[in-house]
Amino acid sequence: MKRISRLGLAIAALALLVSRTASAAPQPAAPACRLAGPIQHVIFIVFDNVHFRRDNPDVPSDLEQMPHLLDFLTRNGTLDVNHHTPLIAHTATDILTALSGLYPDRHGMGVSNTFRFFNPDGTSDPALSFAYWTAPIFDFVTATPFDASPTMVTRAGKIAPAPWVAYTRAGCDFGAAGTANIELENLAVDIPSFFGPGSPQAAEVAADPAQATADFIGVAVHCAKGSALCGTGSVEDNLPDEPGGYIGFRALMGHKYVAPAISSAPLTDLNDSVISDGLGHVGFPGFNGMVAPVTLGYIAAMQEAGVPITTGYISAAHEDSINGPIWGPGEAAYVAHLKFYDDAFATFFARLAKDGITPDNTVFVVAADENDHFAGSAPSPANCDGIHTPCTYARTGQVTVSLPGLLAEQGVTTPFDVATSLALYVQGNPGPLDPTTRALERTTARLTITSPYSGRTESVAHYFADRTEMALLHMTTADALRTPTLTVLTTPEIALTTDSATCTGQACVGIDNTEVWVHGNLAPEINGNWFGIVGPGVKRLGIEDGVWSDHTDIRPTMLAVLGLTDDFEHQGRVVSEFLEERVEPASARRLENPLQRLGAVYKQLNAPVGEFALATLRATTRAVG
């Protein structure tokens, strides 16, 4: 589910105000920014659910329908299509894993985008992963903090190391637009915890929350020490637990402060429309409003103003962020929206080239947070391709199953809550061997439904992960109160709910047509992913499927190219197979083949969807059920 709707900060529409404005004059990266060789710029873009693979074999994939992006990646670098997500595959978990090089057990997200938090009395309350890096865990219904445990938490219970630090310590300003948790994410807790409860920003939240969203949420620049950019409107970039200390750094938080620092005129998207929420509030348009022309407009403006490191989030192409419809593969509106995105990339690359920002001096990394599974009926006509013959779908939507209703029929009435449609928080917080837990597990393992799509009898549960298994899958954190009792990985189309708890039989089964593209579960079409890397030191391999990687490998590979190091140990590896020899240390070059073979084994032992993890998950499923 989208961040903005989870927080109750949704703005109903995005209608960009059309006006032509001038951006800041292009400037090279500051001489103080110390990157390897000829590299002067870094651009990291992460999509929400954009696919390399085809969801319908007759319909070209998302990337196939975005040829300007696909050609740029394959012509100038390497597109890894044997790439994978962590577990579970959800936006916060996945983006933060790619940014940090750490799995959820070490960056703090644990099981998912949303989770519940056990209270001392054993009940649980809803909490949200989308919060600023140093913010406390909070109840997003009551907008109150639970305790001092940070959202991004290490195994030692400290605030996790921040991904911008390696860059700012190297003298490079770091800009971000819409990327999870490295800008302010919500009004309820991020504003008072960052600016202070009595601050002018907090007063604006109370007086005009829509304008406060446009002003303070979703955009940031973390500045190098002494950067001239962090002048008016900047605040201390406070990271009290950063290894080695982090003193004397400042940041600009929000469009209100970033925009005047990088442009003398209102910021525009790539179609020359002033960036706004469409309701009269100039500024950040909401996370759903981060369509390609908007995000790429932010990145281009930052780069042209001398911010050499930029990252941005682009919202999903398979839905209308203005009016809300969600499309299936090959629907006419979906095809048109992908063309809209592709046109934005054509404009983006041309604008950067005019600014002298090219693969000769810039590292580009482009990835998707996760893939997902289309939940819907067969297309009509059966041979539609979306390009010449549009597809239509009689029915779309995720299959919902009221778990309490089905369990009650089997005599199990144990109260529990569900987070992210698969994490069960049993009230009382019983242990894994408690009879209450075991009865719930064994009964759930036997449940079946009749699929509204296929008409066949299907098991509700596909895999089980108890707390021991969740630890092996890197899904737990140092904060045990946010770890569920049990995770039930259903078949891809099914979402577990606690709605209609008194239902019986097939009446417990429904379809939610607001959730059409399903992720979070374990399936090849969900966890199989891609990322592309371009720039000096990167081999031009085109489409590459022979190297198994996952999101933790993106950061160490990037930093190897850039000549930077982190103050913490990554859980991924440098994918040296994609890099030119000159990038690697001499000692690594002498051992290149053994290191690569060792790296491949390491991934299968450690990755959440590697061979070892999947084998233990199968064993746990047999034991639990």
Side-chain angles (χ1 to χ4, degrees), residues 74-96:
T74 56
R75 184 176 67 254
N76 296 299
T78 296
L79 178 62
D80 178 13
V81 298
N82 193 8
H83 190 67
H84 302 81
T85 70
L87 285 177
I88 62 173
H90 264 292
T91 302
T93 294
D94 297 342
I95 293 176
L96 292 164

Side-chain angles (χ1 to χ4, degrees), residues 158-194:
K158 303 291 187 180
I159 298 169
W164 60 86
V165 168
Y167 298 103
T168 55
R169 282 179 174 164
C172 312
D173 293 337
F174 178 103
T179 312
N181 295 23
I182 57 178
E183 319 96 356
L184 303 185
E185 294 271 330
N186 63 81
L187 299 180
V189 171
D190 280 2
I191 300 300
S193 66
F194 189 84

Side-chain angles (χ1 to χ4, degrees), residues 297-317:
Y298 271 121
I299 290 174
M302 289 179 182
Q303 287 284 342
E304 291 164 348
V307 180
I309 316 297
T310 51
T311 180
Y313 161 88
I314 298 179
S315 59

Side-chain angles (χ1 to χ4, degrees), residues 313-570:
Y313 161 88
I314 298 179
S315 59
H318 55 229
E319 65 188 59
D320 182 346
S321 61
I322 300 174
N323 301 309
I326 304 174
W327 308 301
E331 287 199 73
Y334 191 176
V335 171
H337 208 225
L338 287 168
K339 175 67 162 56
F340 173 65
Y341 273 32
D342 188 53
D343 289 345
F345 273 96
T347 301
F348 180 64
F349 291 134
R351 177 169 164 178
L352 292 184
K354 187 176 180 181
D355 294 334
I357 302 172
T358 72
D360 292 332
N361 60 17
T362 305
V363 171
F364 296 84
V365 175
V366 186
D369 50 10
E370 68 270 335
N371 279 359
D372 39 19
H373 172 91
F374 174 65
S377 58
S380 179
N383 63 344
C384 63
D385 64 1
I387 308 302
H388 305 95
T389 305
C391 303
T392 59
Y393 298 87
R395 198 178 203 184
T396 61
Q398 188 174 33
V399 177
T400 59
V401 174
S402 175
L403 192 55
L406 293 182
L407 288 171
E409 285 189 280
Q410 305 299 318
V412 175
T413 57
T414 303
F416 61 88
D417 299 299
V418 174
T420 321
S421 77
L422 49 78
L424 274 57
Y425 290 75
V426 179
Q427 291 188 21
N429 195 9
L433 299 181
D434 188 283
T436 302
T437 305
R438 298 296 291 124
L440 179 66
E441 292 169 341
R442 288 168 171 161
T443 306
T444 302
R446 296 194 300 266
L447 296 178
T448 61
I449 64 166
T450 301
S451 169
Y453 288 114
S454 69
R456 295 190 296 268
T457 299
E458 296 182 2
S459 295
V460 170
H462 194 188
Y463 294 108
F464 291 93
D466 60 8
R467 285 173 173 168
T468 299
E469 181 62 24
M470 282 186 275
L472 286 170
L473 300 176
H474 301 288
M475 292 167 63
T476 59
T477 73
D479 188 353
L481 293 178
R482 53 178 110 171
T483 300
T485 311
L486 178 72
T487 296
V488 181
L489 296 166
T490 61
T491 52
E493 290 181 353
I494 291 178
L496 302 179
T497 77
T498 55
D499 300 334
S500 305
T502 59
C503 64
T504 58
Q506 197 64 18
C508 296
V509 181
I511 289 182
D512 177 7
N513 59 17
T514 67
E515 293 289 338
V516 175
W517 291 93
V518 183
H519 45 270
N521 288 319
L522 180 64
E525 69 271 25
I526 292 173
N527 307 109
N529 209 295
W530 60 273
F531 92 98
I533 182 167
V534 167
V538 178
K539 293 179 180 177
R540 299 189 178 194
L541 300 177
I543 295 174
E544 172 61 52
D545 66 357
V547 179
W548 200 104
S549 67
D550 74 1
H551 279 0
T552 60
D553 302 323
I554 294 176
R555 184 171 181 88
T557 303
M558 285 180 65
L559 293 191
V561 173
L562 299 172
L564 299 178
T565 58
D566 271 321
D567 52 24
F568 59 93
E569 182 181 350
H570 301 127

Side-chain angles (χ1 to χ4, degrees), residues 72-254:
F72 179 85
L73 295 175
T74 56
R75 184 176 67 254
N76 296 299
T78 296
L79 178 62
D80 178 13
V81 298
N82 193 8
H83 190 67
H84 302 81
T85 70
L87 285 177
I88 62 173
H90 264 292
T91 302
T93 294
D94 297 342
I95 293 176
L96 292 164
T97 297
L99 283 173
S100 67
L102 302 175
Y103 291 121
D105 59 349
R106 282 182 52 196
H107 64 56
M109 285 303 94
V111 71
S112 185
N113 285 359
T114 60
F115 52 91
R116 301 187 72 90
F117 193 92
F118 278 114
N119 297 310
D121 63 0
T123 60
S124 69
D125 289 319
L128 188 68
S129 299
F130 288 115
Y132 182 61
W133 204 268
T134 60
I137 293 295
F138 71 98
D139 182 326
F140 71 89
V141 174
T142 64
T144 55
F146 285 115
D147 62 10
S149 177
T151 297
M152 308 299 299
V153 64
T154 67
R155 289 173 176 167
K158 303 291 187 180
I159 298 169
W164 60 86
V165 168
Y167 298 103
T168 55
R169 282 179 174 164
C172 312
D173 293 337
F174 178 103
T179 312
N181 295 23
I182 57 178
E183 319 96 356
L184 303 185
E185 294 271 330
N186 63 81
L187 299 180
V189 171
D190 280 2
I191 300 300
S193 66
F194 189 84
F195 290 113
S199 64
Q201 293 85 357
E204 183 178 325
V205 170
D208 190 348
Q211 186 59 58
T213 298
D215 281 346
F216 308 129
I217 303 301
V219 186
V221 175
H222 298 273
C223 286
K225 188 176 290 188
S227 170
L229 197 69
C230 274
T232 302
S234 68
V235 292
E236 182 184 359
D237 204 354
N238 187 22
L239 295 171
D241 296 336
E242 194 67 31
Y246 195 70
I247 306 299
F249 294 84
R250 300 186 68 80
L252 297 166
M253 283 292 176

